[in-house]
Every structure is written in structure tokens, then in C-alpha cells.
Amino acid sequence: MRILITTDLYTTNTNGVVTSVKNLMEELTKKGHEVRVLTVSEKLKSHKDDNIYYIKSVPLGAIYPDVRMPISFHRHRFIRELIAWKPDLIHSQCEFFSYQFAGFISHKTGAPIVHTYHTLYEQYVTYIFPSQRIGAFFVGKLSKYRLRKADAVVAPTQKVESVLRNYGLRNPIHVVPSGIALEQHKERISEEERKARRRALGIPEDHTVLLNLGRLGTEKNLTELLELFAVALSHKRTLTLLLVGDGPARKDLEELAQKLAIADRVIFTGMVAPEEVHKYYQLGDIFVSASTSETQGLTYIEAAANGLPLLCRRDPCLDGVLVEGQNGYEYEADQEFCDLLDTILQTPGWCHAAGVESAKIAENFDKGNFAAKIEDIYETVTQ
């Protein structure tokens, strides 16, 4: 089958959409499909890299980091080339710029469109709209309008399916959790390397490390995490919070850490290389998150694959990833976070046993299983 994947994002290494697209392309290619990707260039110049087509663009960083807008559309030679290629199916990954390419090529070739809805934009509207309510209304209307002609929609979780149905979407929706490449996350660093890396970061040897990995954005609710950590520190001083990643909220978070008088216990690593990600996960003892903006929670799955127990704010995206009491706990109230953390720290051996259970659960999210389920959807829309 000739499959065209369209996406606004492909080059950034810290985005769940990019991870999902690259894993899908790799697995579909292994299955014998011919796959091409049409995306937005990271510069003011179109270029092609093997089967990846990049359309020239300009940055829109004021709206959202890493987002760029193409400045050439239907008449571009790459679009003509892909129309001549005649894809059997188009799998769109973003609702905005590249979706226009998907729609145009579909119109010209008759190829059906499968669309994956990766992002709950309601959590991001404050970047553009002063009112969350107005922004959420706009997002719902736009999403319904954009996807009206999609032959099938993929939702990474039941949470996303529910949101789309509330928007009024009537398209067939298939819930398929995005897969991850488990190979890297199965590699374990030695205890000697773990201790050396923690020392290099200034983490005392007797500290329990609470770790969060991902983009430092306001939608990740890291302000709450810092505030909860400050309360936890008042009960137990041998704690360190390790924040791995970077983003627009970093400066505000660093200032908040100073204000809360916990700056000496909070470590910001900044961006880390993709090949180092699993090593940073393994520097932690417990993965913590206060986010409710996740659609699929890839970092939760990665943390589990690296053998970490989870302590996260309750959210439907954790269904199937966190099994209460076995590999983690979900909290709703601030005091509940502190109580659960105390329970974990006062239960000898629990973290190790929960970490083993986490690694077992993560096996369910292997990218090969993900691609097989997506392939089944392709079959239904091309028959």
C-alpha cells in the first residue's frame, strides 16, 4: 500500500506527535508498505530527504514553540509529485497546515483520509485566547469542521474520543494508544553509572528523586508540582525534584522555586539528547506529574518502561498505564499527593516491585502492536 503521512511537526525530538509519526513510518515500512511523509520545513526553503518532503515555512513561535507555517501550498512541485504518486491512503497527523495538503491531495487522487487527533488544544488556548472558555469553544468548532471529511479518526485514548464526541464529531473513531520504541527504554544503566550521574547533578546519595520529563509549558501544570513538592519537603527533607526538559515556562518555574525556598532541591537539566533520555529516566525513583493536558501520556509509558513507579494527578489518559497500587497511584487533592508519597516512602521494597510491574505494563504499548492496529484501520477505509 502507498501511504502518505502528513504532519506539521517532524524535526523536533521532544514532541509526542513526532515520536508517533516516526514509529509508525518505521513499522509500516517493515511491513512492506511504501511510506512517504509530507511536512513543514524547519527553514525558509523546501527540500526533500529520501521519502520525506519538507515545504518551506516561516516560524510562528509567538503562538507556540516549534510551530511553523508553510508559505507554499497547492502549486508546489512536491504536491504535484505526490499527486502523481497516487497514494492509496493519507494519514494526517495535525489539524492545521498539513491537513490542507492532505485534503487537497485526497481531492485530486480520491485517497481516503485517516486522521489521528493527538492534541487537546483546549489546554493550549491561553497561548492565543485571553479566555479559556472562548478558546475551547473555538477549538471544538474548528476540530469538527476540519475533520468532517475524514474517513476515520484515531484517538490515542478514550479521553480523546469523549472530547471529540462532545465536539459533535460523527466520524468513525478508533481508540488506538500510540506505541513507543521500547528497545531503548529496556536498556538499563549500571548502578555505578546511575550514582555517578546523580552525583554530577548534585543529588545527595541518600535522596529519593522525584522525576518529571517533558516540555516545560504552562499546560503541563508544573506550578502545582513545585508547590506540592514544597509541601512534601516540609515533611521529609531527603527529596530532590529532577525536571528533565525545557520550554517557555522554565524561567517562571525557576522563579517559583526560589519563591517557595526549594531551589536547592529542584534541578532543571534543560534539553537532553534523545539517546540519553532513558538514562535520565533511570536517575529517578518515582515519576511524578500534575498534568491533565496529555492525550496519550507517552512520557508515562516511557517512565514505566524504564522501571519507574508513577505518582500522577488522576486523568483518563492513565487508563491501562497506571494500575492503582500495583505500579503507582493517582491523586486528586493536594494532601492526597503528600499522603500517597508518604505511603510509598514508608513501604520498604514497594518502589522496586512497582517498577518491575511498570516495565511489564509498558510492553502493551510496543510500537509493533500500534502499527498492526493502525494497519487494520487502513484496511477498513480502503475496501
Side-chain angles (χ1 to χ4, degrees):
M1 188 181 293
R2 291 187 299 276
I3 301 165
L4 173 64
I5 298 176
T6 62
T7 176
D8 291 354
L9 300 169
Y10 191 77
T11 54
T12 177
N13 290 309
T14 58
N15 185 280
V17 177
V18 178
T19 300
S20 181
V21 170
K22 289 184 175 179
N23 286 340
L24 180 60
M25 182 182 184
E26 180 182 337
E27 292 301 311
L28 290 174
T29 301
K30 282 182 186 177
K31 290 174 175 290
H33 299 289
E34 187 179 351
V35 185
R36 298 186 184 184
V37 174
L38 177 61
T39 187
V40 179
S41 174
E42 70 285 3
K43 51 192 173 183
L44 192 62
K45 182 180 180 182
S46 297
H47 60 103
K48 181 180 173 185
D49 181 11
D50 196 15
N51 287 335
I52 315 297
Y53 295 75
Y54 297 88
I55 303 293
K56 59 186 178 181
S57 68
V58 293
L60 290 178
I63 295 178
Y64 188 81
D66 299 324
V67 170
R68 299 179 66 95
M69 180 179 72
I71 55 175
S72 183
F73 284 89
H74 300 158
R75 295 183 180 180
H76 195 281
R77 61 187 176 88
F78 286 168
I79 305 300
R80 295 197 301 270
E81 183 177 330
L82 289 168
I83 289 172
W85 179 56
K86 293 184 178 179
D88 297 305
L89 178 138
I90 301 168
H91 192 158
S92 166
Q93 306 284 334
C94 297
E95 295 76 29
F96 296 104
F97 306 121
S98 59
Y99 194 84
Q100 296 180 61
F101 298 136
F104 183 73
I105 296 172
S106 171
H107 174 70
K108 291 293 184 181
T109 63
I113 296 177
V114 172
H115 179 81
T116 295
Y117 198 89
H118 288 279
T119 306
L120 289 179
Y121 296 101
E122 293 179 12
Q123 304 288 337
Y124 296 79
V125 294
T126 52
Y127 284 100
I128 305 172
F129 296 97
S131 165
Q132 173 112 17
R133 186 161 163 253
I134 294 173
F137 174 79
F138 175 79
V139 165
K141 291 293 184 182
L142 179 62
S143 297
K144 181 181 177 183
Y145 175 78
R146 272 293 202 197
L147 303 183
R148 68 194 188 282
K149 293 184 179 179
D151 296 88
V153 175
V154 177
T157 59
Q158 294 284 351
K159 171 185 176 179
V160 178
E161 180 189 25
S162 297
V163 169
L164 292 175
R165 290 302 184 205
N166 287 337
Y167 288 162
L169 218 68
R170 296 181 179 178
N171 315 50
I173 299 178
H174 306 263
V175 178
V176 183
S178 291
I180 67 169
L182 288 175
E183 293 84 1
Q184 180 196 54
H185 300 293
K186 288 180 179 179
E187 296 175 7
R188 297 291 183 258
I189 61 176
S190 67
E191 187 58 27
E192 292 75 15
E193 181 180 356
R194 184 174 186 264
K195 287 181 179 179
R197 284 176 171 267
R198 284 169 60 133
R199 277 197 304 270
L201 288 169
I203 301 171
E205 192 167 330
D206 63 336
H207 274 214
T208 298
V209 176
L210 310 185
L211 178 141
N212 180 278
L213 186 148
R215 181 175 178 275
L216 303 186
T218 56
E219 73 283 351
K220 300 299 183 181
N221 204 19
L222 290 163
T223 297
E224 177 182 296
L225 195 58
L226 287 177
E227 292 169 344
L228 291 174
F229 180 69
V231 176
L233 268 181
S234 67
H235 298 288
K236 183 176 176 61
R237 291 299 297 172
T238 54
L239 295 174
T240 293
L241 178 61
L242 184 60
L243 299 179
V244 182
D246 213 336
R250 178 171 176 173
K251 185 173 181 293
D252 290 340
L253 292 170
E254 289 175 332
E255 291 176 354
L256 178 59
Q258 291 285 349
K259 181 180 177 182
L260 294 170
I262 59 172
D264 61 331
R265 290 289 185 268
V266 181
I267 298 172
F268 294 84
T269 69
M271 197 72 68
V272 300
E275 62 273 14
E276 292 279 300
V277 166
H278 69 293
K279 297 179 182 179
Y280 277 87
Y281 274 119
Q282 291 170 42
L283 300 184
D285 296 297
I286 305 168
F287 182 84
V288 292
S289 175
S291 176
T292 57
S293 69
E294 312 303 320
T295 56
Q296 51 198 322
L298 291 180
T299 55
Y300 302 147
I301 301 169
E302 290 178 352
N306 279 281
L308 289 182
L310 313 175
L311 177 56
C312 305
R313 176 165 279 285
R314 186 172 299 281
D315 191 78
C317 80
L318 286 162
D319 293 349
V321 180
L322 192 159
V323 180
E324 192 75 11
Q326 293 186 28
N327 75 317
Y329 293 100
E330 294 181 74
Y331 73 92
E332 292 183 274
D334 292 358
Q335 186 58 47
E336 190 178 7
F337 174 92
C338 296
D339 291 344
L340 288 169
L341 180 59
D342 285 343
T343 297
I344 291 170
L345 297 178
Q346 292 169 12
T347 309
W350 185 86
C351 273
H352 174 74
V356 172
E357 189 64 27
S358 273
K360 291 179 183 176
I361 290 171
E363 292 284 351
N364 298 322
F365 297 90
D366 178 72
K367 62 180 181 176
N369 298 334
F370 163 62
K373 292 174 183 176
I374 294 295
E375 195 177 31
D376 289 342
I377 297 170
Y378 292 168
E379 293 294 335
T380 65
V381 300
T382 55
Q383 288 176 354

